[in-house]
Coordinates of all heavy atoms in Angstrom, one line a residue:
V1 N -6.4 8.9 -4.2 CA -6.5 7.6 -3.6 C -5.8 7.7 -2.2 O -4.8 8.3 -2.0 CB -5.8 6.5 -4.5 CG1 -6.0 5.1 -3.8 CG2 -6.4 6.5 -5.8
Y2 N -6.4 7.0 -1.2 CA -5.9 6.9 0.1 C -5.7 5.5 0.6 O -6.6 4.6 0.3 CB -7.0 7.6 1.0 CG -6.7 7.5 2.5 CD1 -5.7 8.2 3.2 CD2 -7.5 6.6 3.3 CE1 -5.4 8.0 4.5 CE2 -7.2 6.4 4.6 CZ -6.2 7.2 5.2 OH -6.0 7.0 6.6
V3 N -4.7 5.2 1.4 CA -4.5 3.9 1.9 C -4.5 4.1 3.5 O -3.7 4.9 4.0 CB -3.1 3.3 1.6 CG1 -3.0 1.9 2.3 CG2 -3.1 3.0 0.0
D4 N -5.4 3.5 4.1 CA -5.4 3.5 5.6 C -4.3 2.5 6.1 O -4.5 1.3 6.2 CB -6.8 3.1 6.1 CG -6.9 3.1 7.6 OD1 -5.8 3.3 8.3 OD2 -8.1 3.2 8.2
Q5 N -3.2 3.0 6.5 CA -2.0 2.3 6.9 C -2.3 1.5 8.2 O -1.5 0.6 8.5 CB -0.7 3.1 6.8 CG -0.4 3.5 5.4 CD 0.8 4.4 5.3 OE1 1.3 5.1 6.3 NE2 1.4 4.4 4.1
Q6 N -3.1 1.9 8.9 CA -3.5 1.3 10.2 C -4.2 0.0 9.9 O -4.1 -0.9 10.8 CB -4.3 2.2 11.1 CG -3.7 3.5 11.5 CD -2.4 3.3 12.4 OE1 -2.3 2.5 13.1 NE2 -1.3 4.0 11.9
V7 N -4.8 -0.1 8.8 CA -5.6 -1.3 8.4 C -4.9 -2.2 7.5 O -5.0 -3.5 7.5 CB -7.0 -0.9 7.8 CG1 -7.7 -2.1 7.5 CG2 -7.8 -0.1 8.8
C8 N -4.0 -1.7 6.7 CA -3.3 -2.4 5.7 C -2.4 -3.7 6.3 O -1.8 -3.4 7.3 CB -2.4 -1.5 4.8 SG -1.4 -2.3 3.5
I9 N -2.5 -4.7 5.6 CA -1.7 -5.9 6.1 C -0.5 -6.2 5.1 O 0.1 -7.2 5.4 CB -2.6 -7.2 6.1 CG1 -3.3 -7.5 4.8 CG2 -3.8 -7.0 7.2 CD1 -4.0 -8.8 4.7
G10 N -0.3 -5.3 4.2 CA 0.9 -5.4 3.3 C 0.8 -6.6 2.4 O 2.0 -7.2 2.2
C11 N -0.3 -7.1 2.0 CA -0.4 -8.2 1.1 C 0.3 -7.9 -0.2 O 0.7 -8.9 -1.0 CB -1.8 -8.7 0.9 SG -2.8 -7.6 -0.1
G12 N 0.3 -6.7 -0.8 CA 1.0 -6.3 -2.0 C 0.1 -6.4 -3.3 O 0.6 -6.2 -4.3
L13 N -1.2 -6.8 -3.1 CA -2.0 -6.9 -4.3 C -2.1 -5.6 -5.1 O -2.1 -5.5 -6.3 CB -3.5 -7.3 -3.9 CG -3.7 -8.8 -3.7 CD1 -5.1 -9.1 -3.2 CD2 -3.4 -9.6 -4.9
C14 N -2.3 -4.5 -4.4 CA -2.4 -3.1 -5.0 C -1.1 -2.8 -5.7 O -1.1 -2.2 -6.8 CB -2.7 -2.1 -3.9 SG -1.6 -1.9 -2.7
V15 N 0.0 -3.2 -5.1 CA 1.4 -3.0 -5.8 C 1.4 -3.8 -7.1 O 2.0 -3.3 -8.0 CB 2.5 -3.2 -4.9 CG1 3.8 -3.1 -5.5 CG2 2.5 -2.4 -3.5
S16 N 1.0 -5.0 -7.0 CA 1.0 -5.8 -8.2 C 0.1 -5.3 -9.3 O 0.5 -5.5 -10.5 CB 0.7 -7.3 -7.9 OG -0.6 -7.5 -7.6
I17 N -1.0 -4.7 -9.0 CA -1.9 -4.1 -10.0 C -1.4 -2.8 -10.5 O -1.4 -2.5 -11.7 CB -3.3 -4.0 -9.3 CG1 -3.9 -5.4 -9.0 CG2 -4.2 -3.2 -10.2 CD1 -5.1 -5.4 -8.1
L18 N -0.9 -2.0 -9.6 CA -0.4 -0.6 -10.1 C 0.8 -0.3 -9.4 O 0.8 0.6 -8.4 CB -1.5 0.4 -9.7 CG -2.5 0.7 -10.8 CD1 -3.6 1.6 -10.3 CD2 -1.9 1.3 -12.0
P19 N 2.0 -0.8 -9.7 CA 3.2 -0.4 -9.1 C 3.7 0.9 -9.3 O 4.5 1.5 -8.5 CB 4.3 -1.4 -9.8 CG 3.6 -1.8 -11.0 CD 2.1 -1.8 -10.8
G20 N 3.2 1.6 -10.2 CA 3.5 3.1 -10.4 C 2.7 4.0 -9.5 O 2.9 5.1 -9.4
L21 N 1.7 3.4 -8.7 CA 0.9 4.2 -7.8 C 1.0 3.8 -6.4 O 1.0 4.6 -5.4 CB -0.6 4.1 -8.2 CG -1.6 4.9 -7.3 CD1 -1.4 6.4 -7.4 CD2 -3.0 4.6 -7.7
F22 N 1.2 2.5 -6.1 CA 1.3 1.9 -4.8 C 2.7 1.3 -4.6 O 3.3 0.8 -5.6 CB 0.3 0.9 -4.6 CG -1.1 1.3 -4.7 CD1 -1.9 0.9 -5.8 CD2 -1.7 1.9 -3.6 CE1 -3.2 1.4 -5.9 CE2 -3.1 2.4 -3.8 CZ -3.8 2.1 -4.9
R23 N 3.2 1.4 -3.4 CA 4.4 0.7 -3.0 C 4.3 0.3 -1.6 O 3.6 0.9 -0.8 CB 5.6 1.5 -3.3 CG 5.7 2.8 -2.4 CD 6.9 3.5 -2.7 NE 6.9 4.9 -2.1 CZ 7.4 5.9 -2.5 NH1 8.3 5.9 -3.6 NH2 7.4 7.1 -2.0
L24 N 5.1 -0.6 -1.2 CA 5.2 -1.1 0.3 C 6.3 -0.2 0.9 O 7.4 -0.1 0.4 CB 5.5 -2.5 0.5 CG 4.4 -3.4 -0.1 CD1 4.8 -4.9 0.1 CD2 3.1 -3.2 0.5
N25 N 6.0 0.4 2.0 CA 7.0 1.3 2.7 C 7.8 0.5 3.6 O 7.8 -0.8 3.7 CB 6.2 2.5 3.4 CG 5.4 2.0 4.6 OD1 5.5 0.9 5.1 ND2 4.5 2.9 5.0
A26 N 8.7 1.2 4.3 CA 9.7 0.5 5.2 C 8.9 -0.3 6.3 O 9.6 -1.3 6.8 CB 10.5 1.6 5.9
D27 N 7.7 0.0 6.7 CA 6.9 -0.7 7.7 C 6.2 -2.0 7.0 O 5.5 -2.7 7.8 CB 6.0 0.2 8.3 CG 6.6 1.2 9.2 OD1 7.7 1.0 9.8 OD2 6.0 2.4 9.3
G28 N 6.4 -2.1 5.7 CA 5.7 -3.2 5.1 C 4.3 -3.1 4.7 O 3.6 -4.0 4.4
V29 N 3.8 -1.9 4.7 CA 2.4 -1.6 4.4 C 2.4 -0.7 3.2 O 3.3 0.0 2.9 CB 1.6 -0.9 5.6 CG1 1.5 -1.9 6.7 CG2 2.1 0.4 6.0
S30 N 1.2 -0.7 2.5 CA 1.0 0.0 1.2 C 1.0 1.5 1.5 O 0.5 1.9 2.6 CB -0.2 -0.4 0.5 OG -0.4 0.3 -0.7
E31 N 1.5 2.3 0.5 CA 1.3 3.7 0.5 C 1.2 4.2 -0.9 O 1.6 3.5 -1.9 CB 2.6 4.4 1.2 CG 3.9 4.3 0.4 CD 5.0 5.0 1.2 OE1 4.9 5.4 2.3 OE2 6.1 5.1 0.5

C-alpha cells in the first residue's frame, strides 16, 4: 500500500480504519 503524502490532507480516516497499518506522521499526513 502506498500513500501519496503530497496529496494527503491528514484527515485520519485511514488511521481510524487500520491503525496498525496507517499513522499520521510529524507533518500531520498519513504514512
Side-chain angles (χ1 to χ4, degrees):
V1 181
Y2 169 77
V3 175
D4 185 341
Q5 294 180 336
Q6 300 297 318
V7 177
C8 181
I9 59 172
C11 74
L13 281 174
C14 58
V15 177
S16 68
I17 293 169
L18 270 173
L21 181 65
F22 299 100
R23 65 180 169 205
L24 296 181
N25 65 20
D27 294 325
V29 295
S30 181
E31 66 182 11

